[in-house]
Amino acid sequence: MQPLSILLNVLWILFGGALMAAGWLIAAVIMAITIIGLPWARAAFNIAVYSLLPFGSRAVRRDELTGQSDLGTGALGLIGNLIWFILAGWWLAIGHVVLAIGYAVTIIGIPFAWAHLKLAGIALWPIGKAIVPA
């Protein structure tokens, strides 16, 4: 990881990133407790990792990463993402976009606004994604 990414990640953690990651982790645990919520628990855990260290990493489709299709990247993943989008994805994305607008008001906050926009994208459609170094 490059020094600028490390600095931005440390500032991100100090200014709310740790709380955001903890929230996503709690959501993942709650979803995992119910058997039916396991696909969304994995997605919420991926978002928790991504929201803890968003700088220097990006979300990619798992089938593009591995070259093989799996449950999350096929038809079941599409159905799971549609359910996620209807129940949680759109309002989580709106929250990230609102925070991004708030951060973008200042020049110093622009990198954090960009990170929130990245998180809004994965919050819309998280199943079948993996977090990789940029």
Side-chain angles (χ1 to χ4, degrees):
M1 192 178 293
Q2 296 192 358
L4 182 60
S5 294
I6 293 170
L7 175 65
L8 288 172
N9 279 325
V10 168
L11 291 173
W12 174 264
I13 290 170
L14 293 175
F15 291 113
L19 290 174
M20 185 184 303
W24 279 107
L25 189 60
I26 290 168
V29 169
I30 290 171
M31 289 179 212
I33 289 172
T34 67
I35 300 301
I36 200 162
L38 283 175
W40 296 285
R42 179 177 178 180
F45 181 74
N46 283 339
I47 297 172
V49 171
Y50 195 36
S51 65
L52 185 62
L53 302 169
F55 298 100
S57 59
R58 61 189 177 100
V60 296
R61 289 180 48 94
R62 281 197 315 262
D63 57 355
E64 292 174 2
L65 183 66
T66 63
Q68 298 178 5
S69 184
D70 60 24
L71 284 175
T73 59
L76 289 176
L78 176 66
I79 293 168
N81 274 324
L82 286 172
I83 293 169
W84 174 276
F85 179 81
I86 292 168
L87 296 178
W90 66 273
W91 60 269
L92 290 169
I94 288 172
H96 283 297
V97 169
V98 168
L99 287 171
I101 291 169
Y103 276 115
V105 170
T106 65
I107 293 174
I108 295 172
I110 290 174
F112 301 112
W114 181 250
H116 273 293
L117 291 176
K118 290 188 335 181
L119 286 164
I122 194 170
L124 280 175
W125 210 256
I127 296 175
K129 299 275 177 88
I131 308 304
V132 297

Short mmCIF file of all heavy atoms in Angstrom, two decimals, residues 7-79:
data_model
loop_
_atom_site.label_atom_id
_atom_site.label_comp_id
_atom_site.label_asym_id
_atom_site.label_seq_id
_atom_site.Cartn_x
_atom_site.Cartn_y
_atom_site.Cartn_z
N LEU A 7 -1.97 7.00 4.78
CA LEU A 7 -2.37 8.22 5.48
C LEU A 7 -3.87 8.45 5.38
O LEU A 7 -4.54 8.75 6.37
CB LEU A 7 -1.61 9.43 4.91
CG LEU A 7 -2.02 10.79 5.47
CD1 LEU A 7 -1.70 10.88 6.95
CD2 LEU A 7 -1.36 11.91 4.69
N LEU A 8 -4.43 8.30 4.18
CA LEU A 8 -5.86 8.50 4.00
C LEU A 8 -6.67 7.47 4.76
O LEU A 8 -7.72 7.80 5.33
CB LEU A 8 -6.21 8.48 2.51
CG LEU A 8 -5.77 9.70 1.70
CD1 LEU A 8 -5.99 9.46 0.22
CD2 LEU A 8 -6.49 10.95 2.16
N ASN A 9 -6.21 6.22 4.81
CA ASN A 9 -6.91 5.19 5.58
C ASN A 9 -6.88 5.49 7.07
O ASN A 9 -7.88 5.29 7.77
CB ASN A 9 -6.34 3.81 5.29
CG ASN A 9 -6.87 3.22 4.01
OD1 ASN A 9 -8.01 3.42 3.64
ND2 ASN A 9 -6.02 2.48 3.32
N VAL A 10 -5.76 5.98 7.58
CA VAL A 10 -5.67 6.33 9.00
C VAL A 10 -6.64 7.48 9.31
O VAL A 10 -7.39 7.43 10.30
CB VAL A 10 -4.22 6.70 9.40
CG1 VAL A 10 -4.17 7.34 10.77
CG2 VAL A 10 -3.34 5.46 9.35
N LEU A 11 -6.64 8.51 8.47
CA LEU A 11 -7.58 9.62 8.68
C LEU A 11 -9.02 9.15 8.55
O LEU A 11 -9.90 9.59 9.31
CB LEU A 11 -7.29 10.74 7.68
CG LEU A 11 -5.99 11.50 7.90
CD1 LEU A 11 -5.73 12.47 6.76
CD2 LEU A 11 -6.00 12.23 9.23
N TRP A 12 -9.28 8.26 7.59
CA TRP A 12 -10.62 7.72 7.40
C TRP A 12 -11.09 6.99 8.66
O TRP A 12 -12.21 7.16 9.11
CB TRP A 12 -10.61 6.77 6.20
CG TRP A 12 -11.87 6.05 5.97
CD1 TRP A 12 -12.18 4.78 6.39
CD2 TRP A 12 -13.02 6.51 5.26
NE1 TRP A 12 -13.44 4.43 5.97
CE2 TRP A 12 -13.98 5.47 5.27
CE3 TRP A 12 -13.33 7.70 4.60
CZ2 TRP A 12 -15.21 5.60 4.67
CZ3 TRP A 12 -14.57 7.80 3.99
CH2 TRP A 12 -15.49 6.77 4.03
N ILE A 13 -10.22 6.16 9.23
CA ILE A 13 -10.57 5.41 10.43
C ILE A 13 -10.85 6.37 11.59
O ILE A 13 -11.83 6.20 12.32
CB ILE A 13 -9.45 4.41 10.80
CG1 ILE A 13 -9.43 3.27 9.77
CG2 ILE A 13 -9.64 3.85 12.20
CD1 ILE A 13 -8.23 2.37 9.88
N LEU A 14 -10.04 7.40 11.72
CA LEU A 14 -10.22 8.36 12.81
C LEU A 14 -11.50 9.17 12.66
O LEU A 14 -12.14 9.53 13.65
CB LEU A 14 -9.02 9.31 12.90
CG LEU A 14 -7.70 8.68 13.33
CD1 LEU A 14 -6.58 9.70 13.25
CD2 LEU A 14 -7.81 8.11 14.73
N PHE A 15 -11.91 9.47 11.44
CA PHE A 15 -13.07 10.33 11.21
C PHE A 15 -14.32 9.54 10.81
O PHE A 15 -15.12 10.01 10.02
CB PHE A 15 -12.75 11.39 10.15
CG PHE A 15 -11.77 12.41 10.62
CD1 PHE A 15 -10.52 12.48 10.04
CD2 PHE A 15 -12.08 13.28 11.65
CE1 PHE A 15 -9.59 13.42 10.47
CE2 PHE A 15 -11.16 14.21 12.09
CZ PHE A 15 -9.91 14.28 11.50
N GLY A 16 -14.49 8.35 11.37
CA GLY A 16 -15.74 7.64 11.19
C GLY A 16 -15.67 6.31 10.48
O GLY A 16 -16.65 5.57 10.48
N GLY A 17 -14.57 5.99 9.86
CA GLY A 17 -14.47 4.73 9.13
C GLY A 17 -14.55 3.51 10.03
O GLY A 17 -15.15 2.50 9.66
N ALA A 18 -13.99 3.59 11.24
CA ALA A 18 -14.03 2.46 12.16
C ALA A 18 -15.46 2.20 12.62
O ALA A 18 -15.89 1.04 12.71
CB ALA A 18 -13.12 2.70 13.36
N LEU A 19 -16.21 3.27 12.87
CA LEU A 19 -17.61 3.10 13.27
C LEU A 19 -18.44 2.52 12.14
O LEU A 19 -19.31 1.67 12.36
CB LEU A 19 -18.20 4.44 13.72
CG LEU A 19 -17.66 4.99 15.03
CD1 LEU A 19 -18.20 6.39 15.30
CD2 LEU A 19 -18.00 4.06 16.17
N MET A 20 -18.17 2.97 10.92
CA MET A 20 -18.90 2.45 9.77
C MET A 20 -18.60 0.97 9.57
O MET A 20 -19.52 0.17 9.34
CB MET A 20 -18.52 3.23 8.51
CG MET A 20 -19.32 2.85 7.30
SD MET A 20 -18.76 3.70 5.82
CE MET A 20 -18.91 5.38 6.29
N ALA A 21 -17.34 0.60 9.67
CA ALA A 21 -16.96 -0.81 9.53
C ALA A 21 -17.58 -1.65 10.65
O ALA A 21 -18.04 -2.77 10.40
CB ALA A 21 -15.44 -0.95 9.53
N ALA A 22 -17.61 -1.12 11.86
CA ALA A 22 -18.22 -1.85 12.98
C ALA A 22 -19.72 -2.05 12.73
O ALA A 22 -20.26 -3.12 13.01
CB ALA A 22 -17.99 -1.10 14.29
N GLY A 23 -20.37 -1.04 12.20
CA GLY A 23 -21.79 -1.17 11.88
C GLY A 23 -22.04 -2.25 10.84
O GLY A 23 -22.96 -3.07 10.98
N TRP A 24 -21.22 -2.28 9.79
CA TRP A 24 -21.37 -3.31 8.76
C TRP A 24 -21.05 -4.69 9.33
O TRP A 24 -21.67 -5.68 8.96
CB TRP A 24 -20.47 -3.01 7.57
CG TRP A 24 -21.07 -2.02 6.63
CD1 TRP A 24 -20.68 -0.72 6.46
CD2 TRP A 24 -22.14 -2.24 5.72
NE1 TRP A 24 -21.47 -0.13 5.50
CE2 TRP A 24 -22.37 -1.04 5.04
CE3 TRP A 24 -22.94 -3.33 5.43
CZ2 TRP A 24 -23.36 -0.90 4.08
CZ3 TRP A 24 -23.93 -3.20 4.47
CH2 TRP A 24 -24.13 -1.99 3.81
N LEU A 25 -20.07 -4.77 10.23
CA LEU A 25 -19.72 -6.05 10.84
C LEU A 25 -20.85 -6.56 11.73
O LEU A 25 -21.18 -7.75 11.70
CB LEU A 25 -18.42 -5.92 11.64
CG LEU A 25 -17.81 -7.20 12.18
CD1 LEU A 25 -17.46 -8.14 11.03
CD2 LEU A 25 -16.57 -6.88 12.97
N ILE A 26 -21.47 -5.67 12.49
CA ILE A 26 -22.62 -6.06 13.32
C ILE A 26 -23.76 -6.55 12.43
O ILE A 26 -24.40 -7.56 12.71
CB ILE A 26 -23.06 -4.89 14.22
CG1 ILE A 26 -22.00 -4.65 15.30
CG2 ILE A 26 -24.42 -5.16 14.85
CD1 ILE A 26 -22.18 -3.36 16.06
N ALA A 27 -24.00 -5.84 11.32
CA ALA A 27 -25.04 -6.26 10.39
C ALA A 27 -24.72 -7.64 9.81
O ALA A 27 -25.63 -8.48 9.67
CB ALA A 27 -25.18 -5.24 9.26
N ALA A 28 -23.47 -7.89 9.50
CA ALA A 28 -23.07 -9.20 8.96
C ALA A 28 -23.31 -10.31 9.99
O ALA A 28 -23.79 -11.39 9.64
CB ALA A 28 -21.61 -9.17 8.54
N VAL A 29 -22.99 -10.05 11.24
CA VAL A 29 -23.20 -11.05 12.29
C VAL A 29 -24.69 -11.33 12.48
O VAL A 29 -25.11 -12.48 12.59
CB VAL A 29 -22.54 -10.60 13.62
CG1 VAL A 29 -22.96 -11.48 14.78
CG2 VAL A 29 -21.03 -10.60 13.47
N ILE A 30 -25.49 -10.27 12.49
CA ILE A 30 -26.94 -10.45 12.64
C ILE A 30 -27.50 -11.25 11.48
O ILE A 30 -28.33 -12.15 11.66
CB ILE A 30 -27.64 -9.09 12.79
CG1 ILE A 30 -27.28 -8.47 14.13
CG2 ILE A 30 -29.16 -9.23 12.65
CD1 ILE A 30 -27.73 -7.03 14.29
N MET A 31 -27.05 -10.94 10.26
CA MET A 31 -27.51 -11.69 9.09
C MET A 31 -27.06 -13.14 9.14
O MET A 31 -27.78 -14.04 8.70
CB MET A 31 -27.02 -11.03 7.81
CG MET A 31 -27.68 -9.74 7.50
SD MET A 31 -26.98 -9.05 6.00
CE MET A 31 -27.13 -7.32 6.32
N ALA A 32 -25.86 -13.39 9.67
CA ALA A 32 -25.34 -14.76 9.73
C ALA A 32 -26.09 -15.60 10.76
O ALA A 32 -26.14 -16.82 10.62
CB ALA A 32 -23.85 -14.73 10.05
N ILE A 33 -26.64 -14.96 11.77
CA ILE A 33 -27.39 -15.71 12.78
C ILE A 33 -28.60 -16.38 12.15
O ILE A 33 -28.93 -17.52 12.48
CB ILE A 33 -27.80 -14.78 13.95
CG1 ILE A 33 -26.55 -14.41 14.75
CG2 ILE A 33 -28.83 -15.44 14.85
CD1 ILE A 33 -26.79 -13.36 15.81
N THR A 34 -29.24 -15.68 11.23
CA THR A 34 -30.35 -16.30 10.51
C THR A 34 -29.77 -17.06 9.33
O THR A 34 -28.90 -16.58 8.62
CB THR A 34 -31.32 -15.23 9.98
OG1 THR A 34 -30.67 -14.47 8.96
CG2 THR A 34 -31.78 -14.32 11.08
N ILE A 35 -30.20 -18.24 9.12
CA ILE A 35 -29.66 -19.06 8.04
C ILE A 35 -29.97 -18.43 6.69
O ILE A 35 -29.14 -18.42 5.78
CB ILE A 35 -30.24 -20.50 8.10
CG1 ILE A 35 -29.90 -21.16 9.43
CG2 ILE A 35 -29.78 -21.34 6.93
CD1 ILE A 35 -28.43 -21.28 9.72
N ILE A 36 -31.14 -17.86 6.54
CA ILE A 36 -31.54 -17.29 5.26
C ILE A 36 -30.71 -16.05 4.90
O ILE A 36 -30.60 -15.68 3.73
CB ILE A 36 -33.05 -16.97 5.25
CG1 ILE A 36 -33.55 -16.86 3.83
CG2 ILE A 36 -33.37 -15.74 6.04
CD1 ILE A 36 -35.03 -16.99 3.70
N GLY A 37 -30.11 -15.42 5.88
CA GLY A 37 -29.33 -14.21 5.62
C GLY A 37 -27.87 -14.43 5.30
O GLY A 37 -27.12 -13.47 5.13
N LEU A 38 -27.42 -15.68 5.17
CA LEU A 38 -26.00 -15.96 4.95
C LEU A 38 -25.43 -15.31 3.68
O LEU A 38 -24.32 -14.77 3.73
CB LEU A 38 -25.73 -17.46 4.95
CG LEU A 38 -25.70 -18.09 6.34
CD1 LEU A 38 -25.56 -19.59 6.23
CD2 LEU A 38 -24.60 -17.51 7.17
N PRO A 39 -26.12 -15.32 2.54
CA PRO A 39 -25.52 -14.66 1.37
C PRO A 39 -25.29 -13.16 1.59
O PRO A 39 -24.29 -12.60 1.16
CB PRO A 39 -26.54 -14.88 0.25
CG PRO A 39 -27.39 -16.01 0.71
CD PRO A 39 -27.36 -15.97 2.20
N TRP A 40 -26.23 -12.53 2.29
CA TRP A 40 -26.09 -11.11 2.55
C TRP A 40 -25.07 -10.86 3.65
O TRP A 40 -24.45 -9.81 3.70
CB TRP A 40 -27.45 -10.51 2.90
CG TRP A 40 -28.37 -10.61 1.73
CD1 TRP A 40 -28.35 -9.85 0.60
CD2 TRP A 40 -29.42 -11.55 1.55
NE1 TRP A 40 -29.33 -10.27 -0.26
CE2 TRP A 40 -30.01 -11.31 0.29
CE3 TRP A 40 -29.94 -12.58 2.33
CZ2 TRP A 40 -31.08 -12.05 -0.20
CZ3 TRP A 40 -31.00 -13.31 1.84
CH2 TRP A 40 -31.56 -13.05 0.59
N ALA A 41 -24.87 -11.82 4.55
CA ALA A 41 -23.86 -11.68 5.59
C ALA A 41 -22.47 -11.60 4.97
O ALA A 41 -21.64 -10.78 5.38
CB ALA A 41 -23.95 -12.85 6.57
N ARG A 42 -22.22 -12.45 3.99
CA ARG A 42 -20.91 -12.40 3.32
C ARG A 42 -20.72 -11.06 2.62
O ARG A 42 -19.65 -10.47 2.68
CB ARG A 42 -20.79 -13.54 2.32
CG ARG A 42 -19.48 -13.53 1.60
CD ARG A 42 -19.32 -14.69 0.66
NE ARG A 42 -18.05 -14.58 -0.03
CZ ARG A 42 -17.62 -15.43 -0.90
NH1 ARG A 42 -18.33 -16.49 -1.19
NH2 ARG A 42 -16.47 -15.25 -1.50
N ALA A 43 -21.78 -10.58 1.97
CA ALA A 43 -21.69 -9.28 1.30
C ALA A 43 -21.46 -8.16 2.31
O ALA A 43 -20.65 -7.26 2.07
CB ALA A 43 -22.96 -9.03 0.49
N ALA A 44 -22.16 -8.21 3.44
CA ALA A 44 -21.99 -7.18 4.46
C ALA A 44 -20.58 -7.23 5.06
O ALA A 44 -19.98 -6.20 5.36
CB ALA A 44 -23.04 -7.34 5.56
N PHE A 45 -20.02 -8.44 5.21
CA PHE A 45 -18.65 -8.56 5.70
C PHE A 45 -17.66 -7.95 4.70
O PHE A 45 -16.72 -7.26 5.09
CB PHE A 45 -18.31 -10.02 5.99
CG PHE A 45 -16.92 -10.18 6.53
CD1 PHE A 45 -16.62 -9.81 7.83
CD2 PHE A 45 -15.91 -10.68 5.74
CE1 PHE A 45 -15.34 -9.94 8.33
CE2 PHE A 45 -14.61 -10.82 6.22
CZ PHE A 45 -14.33 -10.45 7.53
N ASN A 46 -17.88 -8.19 3.40
CA ASN A 46 -17.02 -7.58 2.38
C ASN A 46 -17.09 -6.06 2.45
O ASN A 46 -16.07 -5.38 2.34
CB ASN A 46 -17.41 -8.05 0.99
CG ASN A 46 -16.92 -9.44 0.68
OD1 ASN A 46 -15.99 -9.93 1.31
ND2 ASN A 46 -17.55 -10.08 -0.28
N ILE A 47 -18.29 -5.53 2.64
CA ILE A 47 -18.43 -4.08 2.75
C ILE A 47 -17.76 -3.57 4.03
O ILE A 47 -17.18 -2.49 4.04
CB ILE A 47 -19.91 -3.66 2.68
CG1 ILE A 47 -20.50 -4.04 1.32
CG2 ILE A 47 -20.06 -2.16 2.90
CD1 ILE A 47 -22.01 -3.84 1.23
N ALA A 48 -17.82 -4.35 5.11
CA ALA A 48 -17.16 -3.95 6.35
C ALA A 48 -15.65 -3.81 6.14
O ALA A 48 -15.04 -2.83 6.58
CB ALA A 48 -17.46 -4.96 7.46
N VAL A 49 -15.07 -4.78 5.47
CA VAL A 49 -13.63 -4.72 5.18
C VAL A 49 -13.32 -3.52 4.29
O VAL A 49 -12.37 -2.77 4.53
CB VAL A 49 -13.15 -6.04 4.53
CG1 VAL A 49 -11.73 -5.92 4.03
CG2 VAL A 49 -13.28 -7.19 5.51
N TYR A 50 -14.14 -3.34 3.28
CA TYR A 50 -13.95 -2.24 2.34
C TYR A 50 -14.14 -0.89 3.02
O TYR A 50 -13.41 0.06 2.74
CB TYR A 50 -14.93 -2.41 1.19
CG TYR A 50 -14.66 -1.59 -0.05
CD1 TYR A 50 -13.37 -1.35 -0.49
CD2 TYR A 50 -15.70 -1.10 -0.80
CE1 TYR A 50 -13.13 -0.64 -1.64
CE2 TYR A 50 -15.48 -0.39 -1.96
CZ TYR A 50 -14.19 -0.15 -2.37
OH TYR A 50 -13.96 0.55 -3.51
N SER A 51 -15.11 -0.80 3.94
CA SER A 51 -15.36 0.48 4.60
C SER A 51 -14.31 0.78 5.66
O SER A 51 -14.18 1.93 6.08
CB SER A 51 -16.76 0.51 5.20
OG SER A 51 -16.88 -0.42 6.24
N LEU A 52 -13.57 -0.21 6.10
CA LEU A 52 -12.50 0.05 7.06
C LEU A 52 -11.27 0.63 6.35
O LEU A 52 -10.65 1.57 6.85
CB LEU A 52 -12.11 -1.22 7.81
CG LEU A 52 -11.08 -1.05 8.91
CD1 LEU A 52 -11.60 -0.11 9.99
CD2 LEU A 52 -10.71 -2.38 9.51
N LEU A 53 -10.93 0.10 5.19
CA LEU A 53 -9.75 0.55 4.44
C LEU A 53 -10.10 0.77 2.98
O LEU A 53 -9.74 -0.02 2.11
CB LEU A 53 -8.62 -0.49 4.56
CG LEU A 53 -8.16 -0.82 5.98
CD1 LEU A 53 -7.25 -2.02 5.97
CD2 LEU A 53 -7.49 0.38 6.62
N PRO A 54 -10.82 1.86 2.66
CA PRO A 54 -11.26 2.04 1.28
C PRO A 54 -10.19 2.56 0.31
O PRO A 54 -10.32 2.39 -0.89
CB PRO A 54 -12.40 3.05 1.41
CG PRO A 54 -12.03 3.86 2.59
CD PRO A 54 -11.35 2.90 3.52
N PHE A 55 -9.16 3.16 0.85
CA PHE A 55 -8.14 3.73 -0.02
C PHE A 55 -7.09 2.68 -0.36
O PHE A 55 -6.59 1.99 0.51
CB PHE A 55 -7.48 4.95 0.64
CG PHE A 55 -8.45 6.05 0.90
CD1 PHE A 55 -9.00 6.24 2.15
CD2 PHE A 55 -8.85 6.89 -0.12
CE1 PHE A 55 -9.91 7.24 2.40
CE2 PHE A 55 -9.76 7.90 0.10
CZ PHE A 55 -10.30 8.07 1.37
N GLY A 56 -6.79 2.54 -1.62
CA GLY A 56 -5.83 1.55 -2.07
C GLY A 56 -6.46 0.21 -2.37
O GLY A 56 -5.76 -0.78 -2.58
N SER A 57 -7.79 0.15 -2.38
CA SER A 57 -8.48 -1.09 -2.75
C SER A 57 -9.70 -0.75 -3.59
O SER A 57 -10.12 0.40 -3.65
CB SER A 57 -8.88 -1.88 -1.49
OG SER A 57 -9.73 -1.10 -0.68
N ARG A 58 -10.24 -1.79 -4.23
CA ARG A 58 -11.42 -1.58 -5.07
C ARG A 58 -12.24 -2.87 -5.08
O ARG A 58 -11.74 -3.94 -4.75
CB ARG A 58 -11.04 -1.17 -6.48
CG ARG A 58 -10.22 -2.18 -7.23
CD ARG A 58 -9.69 -1.63 -8.55
NE ARG A 58 -8.84 -2.59 -9.18
CZ ARG A 58 -9.23 -3.39 -10.17
NH1 ARG A 58 -10.45 -3.30 -10.65
NH2 ARG A 58 -8.40 -4.26 -10.70
N ALA A 59 -13.50 -2.73 -5.47
CA ALA A 59 -14.40 -3.88 -5.56
C ALA A 59 -14.45 -4.36 -7.00
O ALA A 59 -14.60 -3.55 -7.92
CB ALA A 59 -15.78 -3.49 -5.07
N VAL A 60 -14.31 -5.67 -7.20
CA VAL A 60 -14.40 -6.26 -8.53
C VAL A 60 -15.30 -7.49 -8.45
O VAL A 60 -15.48 -8.07 -7.38
CB VAL A 60 -13.02 -6.67 -9.10
CG1 VAL A 60 -12.13 -5.45 -9.31
CG2 VAL A 60 -12.33 -7.67 -8.21
N ARG A 61 -15.85 -7.87 -9.58
CA ARG A 61 -16.66 -9.10 -9.63
C ARG A 61 -15.75 -10.30 -9.43
O ARG A 61 -14.64 -10.34 -9.96
CB ARG A 61 -17.37 -9.20 -10.97
CG ARG A 61 -18.49 -8.20 -11.13
CD ARG A 61 -19.16 -8.34 -12.48
NE ARG A 61 -19.51 -9.71 -12.82
CZ ARG A 61 -20.71 -10.26 -12.58
NH1 ARG A 61 -21.65 -9.56 -12.03
NH2 ARG A 61 -20.94 -11.51 -12.94
N ARG A 62 -16.21 -11.27 -8.65
CA ARG A 62 -15.39 -12.45 -8.38
C ARG A 62 -15.12 -13.27 -9.62
O ARG A 62 -14.04 -13.84 -9.77
CB ARG A 62 -16.06 -13.32 -7.31
CG ARG A 62 -15.87 -12.81 -5.92
CD ARG A 62 -16.17 -13.86 -4.86
NE ARG A 62 -17.38 -14.61 -5.09
CZ ARG A 62 -18.55 -14.36 -4.52
NH1 ARG A 62 -18.68 -13.35 -3.72
NH2 ARG A 62 -19.60 -15.13 -4.78
N ASP A 63 -16.08 -13.33 -10.55
CA ASP A 63 -15.84 -14.12 -11.75
C ASP A 63 -14.79 -13.47 -12.65
O ASP A 63 -14.06 -14.16 -13.35
CB ASP A 63 -17.13 -14.41 -12.52
CG ASP A 63 -17.88 -13.16 -12.92
OD1 ASP A 63 -17.47 -12.04 -12.54
OD2 ASP A 63 -18.90 -13.30 -13.63
N GLU A 64 -14.66 -12.15 -12.62
CA GLU A 64 -13.59 -11.49 -13.36
C GLU A 64 -12.25 -11.72 -12.69
O GLU A 64 -11.21 -11.81 -13.35
CB GLU A 64 -13.86 -9.99 -13.45
CG GLU A 64 -15.05 -9.63 -14.31
CD GLU A 64 -15.38 -8.15 -14.26
OE1 GLU A 64 -14.65 -7.39 -13.59
OE2 GLU A 64 -16.37 -7.77 -14.89
N LEU A 65 -12.26 -11.83 -11.37
CA LEU A 65 -11.03 -12.03 -10.60
C LEU A 65 -10.51 -13.45 -10.74
O LEU A 65 -9.32 -13.66 -10.99
CB LEU A 65 -11.30 -11.70 -9.13
CG LEU A 65 -10.13 -11.76 -8.18
CD1 LEU A 65 -9.11 -10.70 -8.51
CD2 LEU A 65 -10.62 -11.59 -6.75
N THR A 66 -11.40 -14.44 -10.62
CA THR A 66 -10.97 -15.83 -10.63
C THR A 66 -11.10 -16.49 -12.00
O THR A 66 -10.50 -17.52 -12.23
CB THR A 66 -11.80 -16.66 -9.62
OG1 THR A 66 -13.17 -16.64 -10.02
CG2 THR A 66 -11.65 -16.13 -8.22
N GLY A 67 -11.93 -15.91 -12.86
CA GLY A 67 -12.16 -16.52 -14.16
C GLY A 67 -13.19 -17.64 -14.12
O GLY A 67 -13.41 -18.31 -15.13
N GLN A 68 -13.81 -17.85 -12.96
CA GLN A 68 -14.80 -18.91 -12.80
C GLN A 68 -16.07 -18.32 -12.20
O GLN A 68 -16.01 -17.51 -11.27
CB GLN A 68 -14.28 -20.01 -11.89
CG GLN A 68 -13.06 -20.71 -12.42
CD GLN A 68 -12.57 -21.76 -11.43
OE1 GLN A 68 -13.18 -22.02 -10.42
NE2 GLN A 68 -11.42 -22.36 -11.75
N SER A 69 -17.21 -18.78 -12.70
CA SER A 69 -18.48 -18.35 -12.15
C SER A 69 -18.76 -19.13 -10.86
O SER A 69 -18.30 -20.26 -10.70
CB SER A 69 -19.59 -18.60 -13.17
OG SER A 69 -20.81 -18.12 -12.70
N ASP A 70 -19.46 -18.50 -9.94
CA ASP A 70 -19.87 -19.18 -8.71
C ASP A 70 -21.30 -18.77 -8.38
O ASP A 70 -21.95 -18.08 -9.16
CB ASP A 70 -18.90 -18.88 -7.57
CG ASP A 70 -18.78 -17.41 -7.23
OD1 ASP A 70 -19.71 -16.64 -7.52
OD2 ASP A 70 -17.75 -17.01 -6.66
N LEU A 71 -21.79 -19.20 -7.23
CA LEU A 71 -23.18 -18.92 -6.86
C LEU A 71 -23.47 -17.42 -6.81
O LEU A 71 -24.53 -16.98 -7.20
CB LEU A 71 -23.52 -19.54 -5.50
CG LEU A 71 -23.74 -21.04 -5.48
CD1 LEU A 71 -23.94 -21.52 -4.05
CD2 LEU A 71 -24.90 -21.43 -6.35
N GLY A 72 -22.53 -16.64 -6.30
CA GLY A 72 -22.75 -15.20 -6.15
C GLY A 72 -22.68 -14.43 -7.45
O GLY A 72 -23.18 -13.31 -7.53
N THR A 73 -22.07 -15.00 -8.47
CA THR A 73 -21.94 -14.27 -9.74
C THR A 73 -22.93 -14.76 -10.78
O THR A 73 -22.99 -14.20 -11.87
CB THR A 73 -20.51 -14.39 -10.29
OG1 THR A 73 -20.20 -15.76 -10.48
CG2 THR A 73 -19.51 -13.76 -9.35
N GLY A 74 -23.69 -15.79 -10.47
CA GLY A 74 -24.66 -16.34 -11.43
C GLY A 74 -26.07 -15.83 -11.17
O GLY A 74 -26.28 -14.74 -10.63
N ALA A 75 -27.03 -16.64 -11.55
CA ALA A 75 -28.44 -16.26 -11.44
C ALA A 75 -28.87 -16.08 -9.99
O ALA A 75 -29.63 -15.15 -9.67
CB ALA A 75 -29.32 -17.31 -12.11
N LEU A 76 -28.37 -16.92 -9.08
CA LEU A 76 -28.72 -16.76 -7.66
C LEU A 76 -28.16 -15.46 -7.09
O LEU A 76 -28.79 -14.82 -6.26
CB LEU A 76 -28.24 -17.96 -6.85
CG LEU A 76 -28.99 -19.27 -7.09
CD1 LEU A 76 -28.35 -20.40 -6.29
CD2 LEU A 76 -30.45 -19.12 -6.73
N GLY A 77 -26.98 -15.08 -7.54
CA GLY A 77 -26.40 -13.81 -7.12
C GLY A 77 -27.23 -12.63 -7.61
O GLY A 77 -27.41 -11.64 -6.89
N LEU A 78 -27.73 -12.74 -8.83
CA LEU A 78 -28.59 -11.69 -9.37
C LEU A 78 -29.87 -11.55 -8.54
O LEU A 78 -30.25 -10.43 -8.17
CB LEU A 78 -28.95 -11.99 -10.82
CG LEU A 78 -29.93 -11.03 -11.48
CD1 LEU A 78 -29.32 -9.65 -11.62
CD2 LEU A 78 -30.37 -11.56 -12.82
N ILE A 79 -30.49 -12.67 -8.19
CA ILE A 79 -31.69 -12.63 -7.35
C ILE A 79 -31.36 -12.06 -5.97
O ILE A 79 -32.09 -11.23 -5.44
CB ILE A 79 -32.31 -14.04 -7.25
CG1 ILE A 79 -32.85 -14.48 -8.61
CG2 ILE A 79 -33.42 -14.07 -6.19
CD1 ILE A 79 -33.22 -15.94 -8.69
#
